Amino acid sequence: MNDTLLRQWAMLRSIPRHPRKIDASSLQARLVDAGFAVTLRSIQRDLIKLSTEFPLVCDGSKPQGWSWHSSADQLNIPALEPNAALTFKLVENYLRPILPTNTLAQLQPWFRSATGVLNSTSGIGIAAWPDKVRVLPKGFQLQPPVINEQAQAKLYQALLQEKRAFVRYRPRYRSGHKEYIINPLALVVRDQTIYLLCTFWDYQDVIKLALHRVEDVQLLDEPAIQVDGFDLDEYIKSGSFGYLLGNETLNIEVEFTWQGANHLRECPLSDDQSLTTIDENTVLLRATVPNTEELRWWLRGFGDSVKVLGPSWLRDEFRQAAKRLLNRYSEASD
């Protein structure tokens, strides 16, 4: 491959997509840094010549700014390898809900290029991988909640730019809406729900807002207030997404049937989990877990395959719930 072609190839890769742009002098500096000895005049001639073959646009300003057209398939320089195309296809399929709107817009030509590469490859091997893989949510699958796309885009922008925002929000258990000034901190996707972690006004308490309950967002030209020592991973580990009912951990003792305990042998409930055989039908589980509502949902999901032994107050809680359930079914039969 001759030097001129290599230089022009490098030029095409250095030109941004519209609305960003680059002038000939900046291109020359990049090419010199990359080891190409080229004059400014040669750069200008190359740009004019390349614009007849590729979707390059010039804004006519001084100095002239060059861009790829916003819909151009820039990744054809060079073409995507099948493995890279597969990666972009999986990103499109599974990460779309959590990517900022501007990022998605920038990635659209890449997604189209990836689809084209995979479609042009034989229908076996890496090209067939997207048809062979699915990611499913845990448990009974519900339809995802509907999100206001404009509000979502503005919240993502506020998070990226670390700006405050005015939010009109519909609380889960109240009619009407509430209005807050928020400081966005992070996003968490749990099952099919996207949560924004933020603080209100000048407070430091971290709050979770479900994006599908956000009705309106207005960006504010004010820096977001950060939470001292906030760490997203530590926040998640604290059990905040398990609907904490108390800060203490629980040393639980639960009897399972053998069938009910089978998956715990492969997927332990905690680092200190122990399973003790009681008899041919019963296994005793001991584990240290957070005190969450989610723990209760999980245990109830086993139905009559589980019996809570301790702590005693948790056993009483399940006993009372079982009585209420029995009464409800008795009323239904009457």
Side-chain angles (χ1 to χ4, degrees):
M1 187 178 295
N2 61 51
D3 290 343
T4 299
L5 181 56
L6 284 174
R7 183 185 75 239
Q8 292 178 344
W9 206 336
M11 283 179 58
L12 290 171
R13 293 173 60 88
S14 297
I15 298 173
R17 192 182 310 279
H18 184 79
R20 294 186 299 138
K21 62 183 180 179
I22 190 170
D23 59 58
S25 296
S26 298
L27 271 175
Q28 182 190 24
R30 289 192 184 186
L31 291 173
V32 170
D33 288 341
F36 296 98
V38 58
T39 65
L40 180 61
R41 182 58 184 156
S42 294
I43 295 289
Q44 293 168 334
R45 284 197 300 264
D46 284 347
L47 286 169
I48 294 172
K49 181 177 180 181
L50 291 171
S51 66
T52 64
E53 301 294 334
F54 296 94
L56 301 178
V57 292
C58 177
D59 65 0
S61 62
K62 292 186 178 181
Q64 292 181 331
W66 289 85
S67 308
W68 282 89
H69 191 276
S70 59
S71 63
D73 188 356
Q74 194 173 351
L75 285 186
N76 277 337
I77 310 298
L80 275 175
E81 292 295 326
N83 281 314
L86 172 63
T87 301
F88 278 105
K89 192 65 178 177
L90 295 177
V91 167
E92 181 182 19
N93 288 345
Y94 298 115
L95 296 185
R96 178 178 292 274
I98 61 173
L99 289 175
T101 304
N102 290 343
T103 300
L104 280 174
Q106 292 290 325
L107 288 175
Q108 286 304 319
W110 299 26
F111 293 153
R112 289 195 296 269
S113 179
T115 300
V117 169
L118 294 177
N119 288 343
S120 65
T121 307
S122 61
I124 59 174
I126 204 71
W129 192 259
D131 296 327
K132 299 176 182 293
V133 177
R134 293 294 182 271
V135 177
L136 298 178
K138 183 179 180 180
F140 189 76
Q141 186 171 358
L142 304 176
Q143 295 296 315
V146 178
I147 296 176
N148 182 318
E149 293 184 358
Q150 290 185 345
Q152 181 182 24
K154 290 179 180 178
L155 284 175
Y156 283 10
Q157 184 178 349
L159 180 61
L160 282 172
Q161 298 178 356
E162 297 186 350
K163 296 287 189 179
R164 279 185 155 189
F166 166 85
V167 169
R168 183 175 290 112
Y169 187 77
R170 186 181 71 257
R172 184 173 186 178
Y173 296 113
R174 298 180 185 177
S175 59
H177 63 262
K178 295 285 187 178
E179 296 179 347
Y180 310 110
I181 301 297
I182 67 164
N183 304 283
L185 297 172
L187 280 178
V188 173
V189 180
R190 194 170 191 272
D191 294 329
Q192 301 195 62
T193 301
I194 304 176
Y195 295 94
L196 177 74
L197 303 185
C198 63
T199 60
F200 292 164
W201 292 287
D202 296 332
Y203 299 109
Q204 289 280 293
D205 299 326
V206 179
I207 307 295
K208 297 190 291 285
L209 297 182
L211 256 62
H212 61 276
R213 298 194 194 109
V214 177
E215 297 179 345
D216 187 41
V217 177
Q218 300 296 327
L219 296 178
L220 302 178
D221 191 20
E222 302 174 22
I225 296 176
Q226 302 301 312
V227 174
D228 295 336
F230 175 77
D231 183 281
L232 179 57
D233 292 325
E234 290 300 322
Y235 180 84
I236 294 171
K237 288 179 183 178
S238 71
S240 296
F241 277 89
Y243 302 97
L244 277 175
L245 299 179
N247 293 326
E248 76 280 8
T249 56
L250 304 181
N251 297 314
I252 61 170
E253 294 188 358
V254 182
E255 281 188 3
F256 281 87
T257 63
W258 268 91
Q259 184 177 6
N262 272 340
H263 76 292
L264 292 173
R265 296 182 176 88
E266 298 176 341
C267 303
L269 185 61
S270 67
D271 292 338
D272 64 350
Q273 169 185 296
S274 67
L275 293 172
T276 304
T277 300
I278 303 301
D279 55 43
E280 60 181 9
N281 297 317
T282 311
V283 175
L284 176 64
L285 164 74
R286 291 189 177 94
T288 302
V289 294
N291 180 16
T292 65
E293 185 64 39
E294 190 175 50
L295 169 66
R296 289 151 175 81
W297 294 343
W298 178 74
L299 289 170
R300 291 180 192 127
F302 289 95
D304 61 0
S305 295
V306 67
K307 180 170 70 174
V308 176
L309 302 181
S312 59
W313 59 265
L314 185 61
R315 175 183 172 87
D316 290 340
E317 185 180 311
F318 272 78
R319 182 188 290 114
Q320 293 301 321
K323 288 181 179 179
R324 291 192 297 272
L325 184 62
L326 177 61
N327 290 337
R328 185 174 292 273
Y329 275 98
S330 299
E331 292 169 0
S333 61
D334 291 344

